[in-house]
Amino acid sequence: MTGIRTRFAPSPTGYMHIGNLRTALYAYLVAKHDPEGVFILRIEDTDQGRLVSGATDIIYETMKQCGLKHDEGPDVGGPVGPYVQSERMKSGLYMEYAKKLIELKGAHYCFCDEEKINTQRELQEARGESFKYDDPCKYMTPEEIQEKIASGAPYVIRQNIPMTGTTSFDDEVLGHITVDNSTLDESILLKSDGYPTYNFANVVDDHLMGITDVVRGMEYLSSTPKYNLIYQAFNWNIPRYIHCPPVMKDEHSKLSKRNGDASFQDLVAKGYLPEAILNYIALLGWSPETEQEVFTLDELTKAFNVKHIGTSGAIFDPEKLTWINGVWLRNMSLNDYTALVKPYIEKSVSNRFSIEKIAAILQPRANTLNEIPEMLDFFDAFPAYSNDLYVNKKMKTTEEIAHTSLQAAYKSLSEVSESDWNAEKLHEVMMALPASLSMKNGQVLFPIRLAVSGKQFTPGGAIEIADILGKEETLRRLSLSIQQLEK
């Protein structure tokens, strides 16, 4: 194997959280920045109690929607499979390596009562001490161990941690880190049911899959010294570590689905594009070397540098995501945009109006897809509105000015034939009105837009809306609005 090899190793326990998706993205970018890099998907399902039906399919679908194509994985195969931990376990792989680690003095059989150990843990932590359990099983003779196993006594395999000294490692984000071994607890590596814990399986699998760069969240930082002790016991190469800062809801709380924060699927359901979501989360903890903020995945791949990952938590800003999503929508070709928003338009507007023309006025203004129905609700049903809306300081309009403008507009537009009713002709007619009335453009066009839409804010101006409504409906609404002002 040559080149960089990274992996995304999610547990199928529900929806794709934003922090998990960012880890997948960074792992992808680290691999793909290298022309020979390989990005691997591995499903870590050893924690059987937390598995959620259908969650693996959500992982596949999310990766597909975001364009994060893996080179090796459960669904595409590869030279170091299986890529699902429960399938790897069937061959006795983890038991084999756990027993080998015992031979290398990196682990030991433990027959202790877990409840007693947990009680001791709680007592020490209550005193403000780091938990350190000097397991008496470490000092059993081989004969005593075999006798226990032969008797059917339940056991786990637990890691050996030196009681003294330090363990050090280098991280691409945080630099050189040294930890006192006395602060590290001897974690279980293999449970009594034969399943490996994450702390063991991820090390074995990363080695066997040739992983060169491990990208993960900072919550795993405290466990990294223990992983390194396992690598060192086996005399395996230690990968390059890239620990990423947490994605925060605010200055004090991590973003968490458990607390009701949005997952990737939630954001898509709210009308955000997968590409825009991916673009935004790339910036949560990473800073580009230029002022550019809107990136395609290819552009991110070229620009990404782990040295520009920050060390502090990045706060998730929905407004920034909305802005980036709006830019993505406006950067689409009109044909692609129309195809994308067509279902949203059809939900809101009857087929007597042009979808293409409505899409054209939406594109410069809608920042999310879910905004569209409310923006278009006036087309089918002319809403009731207050004459107070005509009073606008910015446009320099009053009810009296509006009445004058609408009467003139009704007269001029009545003279436009059905065959000539199009945006170009309407522009010519409406733009001639302000000069003829000795008014500013806004004093005429603002009242017309309000009079034909019934809304203060609309996608498109008076000309575009009148073009879409058609002559008969435009004149009907103008007439109703004039009558309302006269009352």
Side-chain angles (χ1 to χ4, degrees):
M1 298 176 185
T2 60
I4 289 176
R5 290 174 65 84
T6 67
R7 48 73 169 170
F8 175 50
S11 298
T13 57
Y15 290 109
M16 180 72 78
H17 301 175
I18 292 301
N20 285 356
L21 182 57
R22 190 193 61 175
T23 299
L25 172 61
Y26 284 6
Y28 175 91
L29 296 175
V30 169
K32 295 306 175 180
H33 194 74
D34 176 3
E36 296 183 3
V38 173
F39 176 55
I40 297 171
L41 175 63
R42 182 173 76 221
I43 303 298
E44 299 196 337
D45 60 347
T46 56
D47 192 347
Q48 295 286 297
R50 296 180 61 233
L51 302 186
V52 173
S53 176
T56 301
D57 291 333
I58 290 175
I59 294 168
Y60 292 143
E61 181 60 24
T62 300
M63 303 286 278
K64 181 180 178 181
Q65 284 180 279
C66 292
L68 300 179
K69 184 179 180 182
H70 46 281
D71 303 292
E72 300 174 22
D75 54 337
V76 297
V80 290
Y83 294 88
V84 178
Q85 282 186 339
S86 59
E87 294 178 14
R88 296 171 70 78
M89 188 191 127
K90 293 174 183 176
S91 65
L93 173 73
Y94 302 113
M95 178 64 79
E96 174 190 341
Y97 277 97
K99 289 182 176 179
K100 178 67 175 176
L101 190 60
I102 291 173
E103 294 175 15
L104 296 170
K105 309 301 182 184
H108 64 274
Y109 291 100
C110 176
F111 303 90
C112 297
D113 186 332
E114 285 299 312
E115 286 189 17
K116 290 182 180 179
I117 296 175
N118 289 333
T119 299
Q120 184 173 339
R121 180 197 301 271
E122 291 169 5
L123 288 172
Q124 285 186 241
E125 290 177 348
R127 293 196 297 263
E129 302 171 0
S130 297
F131 175 67
K132 190 67 178 179
Y133 178 69
D134 189 16
D135 189 349
C137 296
K138 286 194 295 186
Y139 308 107
M140 294 174 67
T141 66
E143 292 76 20
E144 289 173 323
I145 291 171
Q146 290 305 315
E147 184 180 338
K148 280 278 192 181
I149 293 174
S151 70
Y155 68 86
V156 299
I157 294 179
R158 193 181 290 275
Q159 185 175 7
N160 284 344
I161 300 288
M163 299 297 289
T164 59
T166 61
T167 299
S168 300
F169 65 96
D170 292 308
D171 181 78
E172 293 298 310
V173 178
L174 298 168
H176 189 72
I177 297 173
T178 299
V179 176
D180 288 330
N181 291 333
S182 61
T183 65
L184 305 176
D185 65 323
E186 297 188 327
S187 301
I188 294 174
L189 303 181
L190 206 74
K191 294 177 282 188
S192 57
D193 59 6
Y195 274 87
T197 61
Y198 172 83
N199 288 325
F200 187 54
N202 91 89
V203 173
V204 173
D205 289 341
D206 284 348
H207 169 71
L208 295 179
M209 292 183 177
I211 301 302
T212 62
D213 294 64
V214 171
V215 182
R216 59 184 171 220
M218 283 188 183
E219 62 268 27
Y220 295 103
L221 201 61
S222 61
S223 299
T224 301
K226 294 190 286 188
Y227 303 153
N228 278 11
L229 289 171
I230 296 174
Y231 279 110
Q232 290 165 0
F234 280 117
N235 197 27
W236 291 343
N237 290 331
I238 295 174
R240 186 172 72 142
Y241 292 120
I242 303 163
H243 287 94
C244 307
V247 180
M248 307 293 288
K249 181 177 184 176
D250 51 43
E251 291 183 1
H252 308 290
S253 309
K254 283 178 62 177
L255 203 67
S256 168
K257 180 67 174 175
R258 188 177 302 169
N259 296 330
D261 298 319
S263 66
F264 170 78
Q265 285 73 23
D266 292 330
L267 292 176
V268 171
K270 289 180 179 180
Y272 293 96
L273 300 177
E275 300 90 339
I277 299 170
L278 205 68
N279 182 166
Y280 176 63
I281 65 173
L283 304 175
L284 288 174
W286 171 76
S287 299
E289 296 178 40
T290 66
E291 296 299 314
Q292 183 177 349
E293 292 187 289
V294 178
F295 291 86
T296 64
L297 186 55
D298 285 343
E299 289 171 335
L300 281 173
T301 302
K302 293 182 178 71
F304 193 74
N305 183 341
V306 296
K307 296 299 183 183
H308 288 266
I309 296 176
T311 58
S312 57
I315 297 177
F316 186 89
D317 181 358
E319 291 185 5
K320 184 64 174 288
L321 170 60
T322 299
W323 176 80
I324 287 178
N325 197 72
V327 175
W328 268 87
L329 289 172
R330 286 185 279 281
N331 284 347
M332 297 175 72
S333 71
L334 182 55
N335 283 343
D336 288 344
Y337 181 82
T338 302
L340 175 67
V341 301
K342 183 179 178 181
Y344 295 85
I345 295 174
E346 290 178 334
K347 286 180 184 177
S348 317
V349 179
S350 62
N351 59 14
R352 63 192 175 111
F353 300 117
S354 167
I355 287 176
E356 290 74 15
K357 289 182 178 180
I358 292 175
I361 66 171
L362 280 172
Q363 189 171 18
R365 296 167 179 87
N367 287 316
T368 68
L369 299 175
N370 284 14
E371 294 173 21
I372 291 174
E374 187 177 352
M375 295 174 78
L376 302 180
D377 58 6
F378 67 90
F379 275 106
D380 274 346
F382 186 38
Y385 67 96
S386 169
N387 287 342
D388 293 342
L389 294 179
Y390 287 111
V391 182
N392 188 298
K393 288 184 179 180
K394 182 179 178 181
M395 296 297 178
K396 298 181 172 60
T397 55
T398 63
E399 291 183 27
E400 292 75 15
I401 289 173
H403 185 255
T404 301
S405 297
L406 297 185
Q407 283 185 316
Y410 187 91
K411 181 178 183 301
S412 295
L413 292 173
S414 297
E415 296 169 358
V416 179
S417 66
E418 289 279 2
S419 59
D420 284 342
W421 193 274
N422 55 57
E424 292 75 21
K425 182 63 175 179
L426 295 176
H427 183 274
E428 175 191 325
V429 172
M430 290 195 203
M431 295 307 292
L433 287 172
S436 69
L437 297 171
S438 299
M439 292 183 184
K440 301 287 187 182
N441 286 355
Q443 291 178 301
V444 176
L445 297 179
F446 171 69
I448 296 174
R449 180 169 63 82
L450 178 54
V452 297
S453 69
K455 299 185 74 169
Q456 189 171 13
F457 302 105
T458 58
I463 295 167
E464 295 99 331
I465 292 172
D467 178 34
I468 295 168
L469 288 173
K471 180 177 180 179
E472 181 181 349
E473 182 63 13
T474 298
L475 293 178
R476 184 182 78 85
R477 294 186 180 194
L478 280 174
S479 177
L480 290 172
S481 294
I482 290 169
Q483 291 173 37
Q484 180 173 307
L485 279 167
E486 289 174 348
K487 288 180 181 178

